[in-house]
Coordinates of all heavy atoms in Angstrom, one line a residue:
M40 N -41.4 13.4 17.9 CA -40.4 12.9 18.8 C -39.6 12.0 18.0 O -40.1 11.2 17.2 CB -41.0 12.3 19.9 CG -39.9 11.9 20.9 SD -40.7 11.8 22.5 CE -40.1 10.3 23.1
A41 N -38.2 12.0 18.1 CA -37.3 11.1 17.3 C -36.5 10.3 18.4 O -36.2 10.8 19.4 CB -36.4 11.9 16.4
T42 N -36.1 9.2 17.9 CA -35.3 8.3 18.8 C -33.9 8.2 18.3 O -33.6 8.7 17.2 CB -35.9 6.9 18.8 OG1 -36.0 6.4 17.5 CG2 -37.3 6.9 19.5
P43 N -33.0 7.7 19.1 CA -31.6 7.6 18.6 C -31.5 6.8 17.3 O -32.2 5.8 17.1 CB -30.9 6.8 19.8 CG -31.7 7.1 21.0 CD -33.1 7.2 20.4
G44 N -30.7 7.4 16.4 CA -30.6 6.8 15.0 C -31.6 7.3 14.0 O -31.4 7.0 12.8
Y45 N -32.5 8.0 14.4 CA -33.6 8.5 13.5 C -33.0 9.3 12.3 O -33.2 9.0 11.1 CB -34.6 9.3 14.2 CG -35.7 10.0 13.3 CD1 -36.7 9.2 12.8 CD2 -35.6 11.3 13.0 CE1 -37.7 9.8 12.0 CE2 -36.5 11.9 12.1 CZ -37.5 11.1 11.7 OH -38.5 11.7 10.8
F46 N -32.2 10.3 12.6 CA -31.6 11.2 11.6 C -30.7 10.4 10.7 O -30.7 10.6 9.5 CB -31.0 12.4 12.2 CG -32.0 13.4 12.8 CD1 -32.3 13.3 14.1 CD2 -32.6 14.3 11.9 CE1 -33.2 14.3 14.6 CE2 -33.6 15.1 12.4 CZ -33.9 15.1 13.8
R47 N -29.9 9.5 11.2 CA -29.0 8.7 10.4 C -29.7 7.8 9.5 O -29.4 7.6 8.4 CB -28.0 8.0 11.3 CG -27.0 8.9 12.0 CD -25.8 8.3 12.5 NE -25.1 9.1 13.4 CZ -24.3 10.1 13.1 NH1 -24.1 10.4 11.8 NH2 -23.7 10.8 14.0
A48 N -30.8 7.3 10.0 CA -31.7 6.3 9.2 C -32.3 7.1 8.0 O -32.5 6.6 6.9 CB -32.8 5.7 10.0
L49 N -32.5 8.4 8.2 CA -33.1 9.3 7.1 C -32.0 9.6 6.1 O -32.2 10.2 5.1 CB -33.7 10.5 7.6 CG -35.0 10.3 8.4 CD1 -35.5 11.7 8.9 CD2 -36.1 9.8 7.5
G50 N -30.7 9.4 6.5 CA -29.6 9.8 5.6 C -29.2 11.2 5.9 O -28.4 11.8 5.1
A51 N -29.6 11.8 7.0 CA -29.2 13.2 7.3 C -27.7 13.2 7.8 O -27.3 12.3 8.4 CB -30.1 13.7 8.5
R52 N -27.0 14.3 7.4 CA -25.7 14.5 7.6 C -25.5 15.4 8.8 O -26.0 16.6 8.8 CB -25.0 15.0 6.4 CG -23.5 15.3 6.5 CD -22.9 15.7 5.1 NE -23.7 16.8 4.5 CZ -23.4 18.1 4.6 NH1 -22.4 18.5 5.2 NH2 -24.2 18.9 4.0
F53 N -24.9 14.9 9.9 CA -24.6 15.8 11.0 C -23.5 16.8 10.6 O -22.4 16.4 10.3 CB -24.3 15.0 12.3 CG -25.5 14.5 13.0 CD1 -26.1 13.4 12.6 CD2 -26.0 15.2 14.0 CE1 -27.2 12.9 13.2 CE2 -27.1 14.8 14.7 CZ -27.7 13.6 14.3
L54 N -23.8 18.1 10.8 CA -22.9 19.2 10.5 C -22.1 19.5 11.8 O -20.9 19.9 11.8 CB -23.5 20.4 10.0 CG -24.4 20.2 8.7 CD1 -25.1 21.5 8.4 CD2 -23.5 19.7 7.6
S55 N -22.8 19.3 12.9 CA -22.1 19.5 14.2 C -22.9 18.8 15.3 O -24.1 18.5 15.1 CB -21.9 21.0 14.6 OG -23.2 21.6 14.7
G56 N -22.3 18.5 16.4 CA -23.0 17.9 17.5 C -23.2 16.4 17.3 O -22.4 15.8 16.7
R57 N -24.3 15.9 17.8 CA -24.5 14.5 17.9 C -26.0 14.1 17.7 O -26.9 15.0 17.7 CB -24.1 13.9 19.2 CG -24.9 14.5 20.4 CD -24.6 13.8 21.7 NE -25.3 14.4 22.9 CZ -26.5 14.2 23.2 NH1 -27.3 13.4 22.5 NH2 -27.0 14.8 24.3
D58 N -26.2 12.9 17.5 CA -27.6 12.3 17.4 C -28.2 12.2 18.8 O -27.5 12.4 19.8 CB -27.5 10.9 16.8 CG -28.8 10.4 16.2 OD1 -29.9 11.0 16.5 OD2 -28.8 9.4 15.5
F59 N -29.4 11.9 18.9 CA -30.1 11.7 20.2 C -29.4 10.5 20.8 O -29.0 9.5 20.1 CB -31.6 11.5 20.1 CG -32.3 12.8 19.7 CD1 -33.0 12.8 18.5 CD2 -32.2 13.9 20.5 CE1 -33.8 14.0 18.2 CE2 -33.0 15.0 20.2 CZ -33.7 15.1 19.0
E60 N -29.5 10.4 22.2 CA -29.0 9.3 23.0 C -30.1 8.8 23.8 O -31.0 9.6 24.1 CB -27.8 9.6 23.8 CG -26.6 10.1 23.0 CD -25.5 10.7 23.9 OE1 -25.7 10.9 25.1 OE2 -24.4 10.8 23.3
E61 N -30.0 7.6 24.3 CA -31.0 7.0 25.2 C -31.3 7.9 26.4 O -32.4 8.1 26.9 CB -30.7 5.6 25.6 CG -30.9 4.6 24.5 CD -32.3 4.4 24.0 OE1 -33.2 4.6 24.8 OE2 -32.4 4.1 22.8
A62 N -30.2 8.4 27.0 CA -30.2 9.3 28.2 C -31.0 10.6 27.9 O -31.5 11.2 28.9 CB -28.8 9.7 28.6
D63 N -31.1 11.0 26.7 CA -31.9 12.2 26.4 C -33.4 12.1 26.6 O -34.1 13.0 26.7 CB -31.7 12.6 24.9 CG -30.3 13.0 24.6 OD1 -29.5 13.3 25.5 OD2 -29.9 12.9 23.4
S64 N -33.9 10.9 26.8 CA -35.3 10.7 27.0 C -35.7 10.6 28.4 O -36.9 10.3 28.7 CB -35.7 9.4 26.2 OG -35.1 8.2 26.8
R65 N -34.8 10.9 29.3 CA -35.1 10.8 30.8 C -36.2 11.9 31.1 O -36.3 12.9 30.4 CB -33.9 10.9 31.6 CG -33.3 12.3 31.6 CD -31.9 12.3 32.4 NE -31.4 13.6 32.5 CZ -30.7 14.1 31.5 NH1 -30.4 13.4 30.4 NH2 -30.2 15.3 31.6
P66 N -37.0 11.6 32.1 CA -38.0 12.6 32.4 C -37.5 13.9 32.7 O -36.5 14.1 33.4 CB -38.7 12.0 33.7 CG -38.3 10.5 33.6 CD -37.0 10.4 32.9
G67 N -38.2 15.0 32.1 CA -37.7 16.4 32.4 C -36.7 16.8 31.4 O -36.4 18.0 31.3
A68 N -36.1 15.9 30.6 CA -35.1 16.3 29.7 C -35.7 16.9 28.4 O -36.8 16.4 28.0 CB -34.2 15.1 29.3
S69 N -35.0 17.8 27.8 CA -35.6 18.4 26.6 C -34.4 18.9 25.7 O -33.7 19.7 26.0 CB -36.4 19.7 27.0 OG -37.0 20.2 25.9
F70 N -34.3 18.0 24.6 CA -33.2 18.3 23.7 C -33.8 18.3 22.3 O -34.8 17.8 21.9 CB -32.2 17.1 23.7 CG -31.5 16.9 25.1 CD1 -32.1 16.0 26.0 CD2 -30.5 17.7 25.4 CE1 -31.5 15.9 27.2 CE2 -29.8 17.5 26.7 CZ -30.4 16.7 27.6
V71 N -33.0 19.1 21.4 CA -33.4 19.2 20.0 C -32.2 19.0 19.1 O -31.1 19.3 19.5 CB -34.2 20.5 19.7 CG1 -35.5 20.6 20.4 CG2 -33.3 21.7 20.0
I72 N -32.5 18.6 17.9 CA -31.6 18.6 16.7 C -32.2 19.5 15.8 O -33.3 19.4 15.4 CB -31.4 17.2 16.2 CG1 -30.6 16.3 17.3 CG2 -30.5 17.3 14.9 CD1 -30.5 14.9 16.9
L73 N -31.4 20.6 15.4 CA -31.9 21.6 14.4 C -31.4 21.3 13.0 O -30.3 20.8 12.8 CB -31.4 23.0 14.8 CG -31.8 23.5 16.2 CD1 -31.2 24.8 16.5 CD2 -33.3 23.6 16.3
S74 N -32.2 21.8 12.0 CA -31.7 21.8 10.7 C -30.7 23.0 10.6 O -30.6 23.8 11.5 CB -32.8 22.1 9.7 OG -33.4 23.4 9.9
E75 N -29.9 23.0 9.6 CA -28.9 24.0 9.4 C -29.6 25.4 9.3 O -29.1 26.3 9.9 CB -28.1 23.7 8.1 CG -27.0 24.7 7.8 CD -26.2 24.3 6.6 OE1 -26.7 23.5 5.8 OE2 -25.2 24.9 6.5
S76 N -30.7 25.5 8.6 CA -31.4 26.8 8.5 C -32.0 27.2 9.8 O -31.9 28.4 10.1 CB -32.5 26.8 7.4 OG -33.4 25.8 7.7
A77 N -32.5 26.3 10.6 CA -33.1 26.7 11.9 C -31.9 27.1 12.8 O -32.1 28.1 13.6 CB -33.8 25.5 12.6
A78 N -30.8 26.5 12.7 CA -29.6 26.9 13.6 C -29.2 28.3 13.2 O -28.9 29.1 14.1 CB -28.5 25.9 13.4
R79 N -29.2 28.6 11.9 CA -28.8 30.0 11.5 C -29.9 31.0 12.0 O -29.6 32.1 12.4 CB -28.7 30.1 10.0 CG -27.4 29.6 9.5 CD -27.1 30.0 8.1 NE -28.3 29.7 7.2 CZ -28.3 28.6 6.4 NH1 -27.3 27.7 6.4 NH2 -29.3 28.4 5.6
F80 N -31.2 30.6 12.0 CA -32.2 31.5 12.4 C -32.1 31.8 13.9 O -32.2 33.0 14.3 CB -33.6 30.9 12.1 CG -34.8 31.7 12.6 CD1 -35.2 32.8 11.9 CD2 -35.4 31.3 13.8 CE1 -36.3 33.5 12.4 CE2 -36.4 32.0 14.3 CZ -36.9 33.2 13.5
Y81 N -32.0 30.8 14.7 CA -32.0 31.0 16.2 C -30.7 31.4 16.7 O -30.6 32.1 17.7 CB -32.4 29.6 16.9 CG -33.8 29.4 16.8 CD1 -34.3 28.4 16.0 CD2 -34.7 30.1 17.6 CE1 -35.7 28.1 16.0 CE2 -36.1 29.8 17.5 CZ -36.6 28.9 16.7 OH -37.9 28.6 16.6
F82 N -29.6 31.1 16.1 CA -28.2 31.4 16.6 C -27.3 31.9 15.4 O -26.3 31.4 15.1 CB -27.6 30.2 17.2 CG -28.4 29.7 18.3 CD1 -29.2 28.5 18.0 CD2 -28.5 30.2 19.5 CE1 -29.9 27.9 19.0 CE2 -29.3 29.7 20.5 CZ -30.0 28.5 20.3
P83 N -27.7 33.1 14.8 CA -26.8 33.6 13.7 C -25.4 33.9 14.2 O -25.3 34.5 15.3 CB -27.6 34.9 13.3 CG -28.5 35.3 14.4 CD -28.8 34.0 15.2
D84 N -24.5 33.5 13.5 CA -23.0 33.7 13.8 C -22.6 33.1 15.1 O -21.7 33.6 15.7 CB -22.7 35.2 13.7 CG -23.0 35.8 12.3 OD1 -22.8 35.1 11.3 OD2 -23.6 36.9 12.3
E85 N -23.3 32.1 15.6 CA -22.9 31.5 16.9 C -23.0 29.9 16.7 O -23.8 29.5 15.9 CB -23.9 31.9 18.0 CG -23.9 33.3 18.3 CD -24.9 33.6 19.4 OE1 -24.9 33.0 20.4 OE2 -25.7 34.5 19.2
D86 N -22.3 29.2 17.5 CA -22.3 27.8 17.6 C -23.5 27.4 18.5 O -23.6 27.8 19.6 CB -21.1 27.2 18.2 CG -21.1 25.7 18.2 OD1 -22.0 25.1 17.7 OD2 -20.1 25.1 18.8
P87 N -24.5 26.7 17.9 CA -25.8 26.4 18.6 C -25.6 25.3 19.6 O -26.5 25.1 20.5 CB -26.8 26.1 17.6 CG -26.0 25.6 16.5 CD -24.7 26.3 16.5
I88 N -24.6 24.5 19.5 CA -24.5 23.3 20.3 C -24.3 23.7 21.8 O -23.5 24.5 22.2 CB -23.3 22.4 19.9 CG1 -23.4 22.0 18.4 CG2 -23.2 21.2 20.8 CD1 -24.6 21.2 18.1
G89 N -25.3 23.1 22.6 CA -25.3 23.4 24.0 C -26.1 24.6 24.5 O -26.4 24.8 25.7
R90 N -26.5 25.3 23.5 CA -27.4 26.5 23.8 C -28.8 26.0 23.9 O -29.2 24.9 23.5 CB -27.3 27.5 22.6 CG -26.0 28.0 22.2 CD -25.4 29.1 23.1 NE -26.3 30.2 23.3 CZ -26.4 31.3 22.6 NH1 -25.6 31.5 21.6 NH2 -27.2 32.2 23.0
T91 N -29.6 26.9 24.5 CA -31.1 26.5 24.7 C -31.9 27.5 23.9 O -31.5 28.6 23.6 CB -31.5 26.6 26.2 OG1 -31.2 27.9 26.7 CG2 -30.8 25.6 27.0
I92 N -33.1 27.0 23.5 CA -34.0 27.8 22.8 C -35.2 28.1 23.7 O -35.8 27.2 24.2 CB -34.6 27.1 21.5 CG1 -33.4 26.8 20.6 CG2 -35.6 27.9 20.7 CD1 -33.8 26.0 19.4
S93 N -35.4 29.4 24.0 CA -36.4 29.8 24.9 C -37.8 29.5 24.5 O -38.7 29.2 25.3 CB -36.3 31.2 25.4 OG -36.4 32.1 24.3
E94 N -38.2 29.7 23.2 CA -39.5 29.4 22.8 C -39.5 28.8 21.3 O -39.1 29.5 20.4 CB -40.3 30.7 22.7 CG -40.5 31.3 24.1 CD -41.5 32.5 24.0 OE1 -42.3 32.6 23.1 OE2 -41.3 33.4 24.9
L95 N -39.9 27.6 21.3 CA -40.1 27.0 19.9 C -41.6 27.1 19.6 O -42.4 27.1 20.5 CB -39.7 25.5 20.0 CG -38.3 25.2 19.8 CD1 -38.1 23.6 20.0 CD2 -37.8 25.6 18.5
P96 N -41.9 27.2 18.3 CA -43.3 27.2 17.9 C -44.1 26.0 18.5 O -43.5 24.9 18.6 CB -43.3 27.2 16.4 CG -42.0 27.8 16.1 CD -41.1 27.3 17.2
A97 N -45.3 26.2 18.9 CA -46.1 25.1 19.6 C -46.2 23.8 18.7 O -46.3 22.7 19.2 CB -47.5 25.6 19.9
V98 N -46.2 24.0 17.4 CA -46.3 22.8 16.5 C -45.2 21.8 16.8 O -45.4 20.6 16.6 CB -46.2 23.3 15.0 CG1 -44.8 23.8 14.6 CG2 -46.7 22.2 14.1
F99 N -44.1 22.1 17.4 CA -43.0 21.2 17.7 C -43.3 20.4 19.0 O -42.6 19.4 19.2 CB -41.7 21.8 17.7 CG -41.2 22.4 16.4 CD1 -41.2 23.7 16.2 CD2 -40.9 21.5 15.4 CE1 -40.8 24.2 14.9 CE2 -40.4 22.0 14.2 CZ -40.4 23.4 13.9
A100 N -44.2 20.9 19.8 CA -44.6 20.2 21.1 C -43.4 19.8 21.9 O -43.3 18.7 22.4 CB -45.4 19.0 20.7
V101 N -42.5 20.7 22.0 CA -41.3 20.6 22.9 C -41.4 21.5 24.1 O -41.6 22.7 24.0 CB -40.0 20.9 22.1 CG1 -38.8 20.8 23.0 CG2 -39.8 20.1 20.9
A102 N -41.4 20.9 25.2 CA -41.7 21.6 26.5 C -40.4 22.3 26.9 O -39.3 21.9 26.7 CB -42.1 20.6 27.6
G103 N -40.6 23.4 27.7 CA -39.5 24.1 28.3 C -38.6 24.7 27.3 O -39.0 25.2 26.2
S104 N -37.3 24.8 27.6 CA -36.3 25.4 26.8 C -35.3 24.3 26.4 O -34.3 24.0 27.2 CB -35.5 26.5 27.6 OG -36.4 27.5 27.9
P105 N -35.6 23.7 25.3 CA -34.7 22.6 24.9 C -33.3 22.9 24.6 O -33.0 24.1 24.1 CB -35.4 22.0 23.7 CG -36.1 23.2 23.1 CD -36.5 24.0 24.2
R106 N -32.3 22.0 24.9 CA -30.9 22.3 24.6 C -30.6 21.7 23.3 O -31.0 20.6 23.0 CB -30.1 21.6 25.7 CG -28.6 21.8 25.5 CD -27.8 21.4 26.8 NE -28.3 22.0 28.0 CZ -28.1 23.3 28.4 NH1 -27.3 24.0 27.8 NH2 -28.6 23.7 29.6
V107 N -29.8 22.4 22.5 CA -29.5 21.9 21.1 C -28.2 20.9 21.3 O -27.2 21.2 21.8 CB -29.0 23.1 20.2 CG1 -28.6 22.6 18.8 CG2 -30.2 24.1 20.1
V108 N -28.4 19.7 20.7 CA -27.4 18.7 20.8 C -26.8 18.4 19.4 O -25.7 17.8 19.3 CB -27.9 17.4 21.5 CG1 -28.2 17.6 22.9 CG2 -29.0 16.8 20.7
G109 N -27.5 18.8 18.3 CA -27.0 18.5 17.0 C -27.6 19.5 15.9 O -28.6 20.1 16.2
V110 N -26.9 19.5 14.8 CA -27.3 20.3 13.6 C -27.2 19.4 12.4 O -26.0 18.9 12.3 CB -26.5 21.6 13.5 CG1 -27.0 22.4 12.2 CG2 -26.7 22.5 14.7
V111 N -28.2 19.3 11.6 CA -28.1 18.4 10.4 C -28.3 19.2 9.2 O -29.0 20.3 9.2 CB -29.2 17.3 10.5 CG1 -28.9 16.3 11.6 CG2 -30.6 17.8 10.6
G112 N -27.7 18.8 8.1 CA -27.8 19.5 6.8 C -29.0 18.8 6.1 O -29.6 17.9 6.5
A113 N -29.3 19.4 4.9 CA -30.4 19.0 4.1 C -30.1 17.7 3.5 O -29.0 17.3 3.2 CB -30.7 20.0 3.1

């Protein structure tokens, strides 16, 4: 789980979308920020922002169908 500012603190460059916000942590909310390669994998030739991912691998421990809010480069 990451908090607002985490990706910027790592020096990650947002290619689209936004960073996490405090409102994203409300109960029942499920949001993700994808790497550029994950965005291409899940949404080839599509803008992933605002889309949902029906099944993430269990290792990510993200419940439900999270909504994509951002994409970061390497």
Side-chain angles (χ1 to χ4, degrees):
M40 185 155 136
T42 58
Y45 174 79
F46 287 96
R47 294 200 192 280
L49 289 178
R52 179 175 47 99
F53 276 83
L54 303 177
S55 62
R57 62 173 175 81
D58 200 346
F59 290 121
E60 298 174 348
E61 290 296 329
D63 295 338
S64 63
R65 69 186 182 278
S69 186
F70 299 95
V71 294
I72 294 174
L73 299 176
S74 67
E75 184 177 14
S76 59
R79 279 194 309 264
F80 175 81
Y81 284 105
F82 305 102
D84 303 318
E85 298 178 52
D86 181 6
I88 303 302
R90 307 279 312 267
T91 58
I92 300 174
S93 59
E94 292 185 31
L95 277 175
V98 69
F99 292 109
V101 176
S104 297
R106 183 168 310 278
V107 179
V108 295
V110 176
V111 293

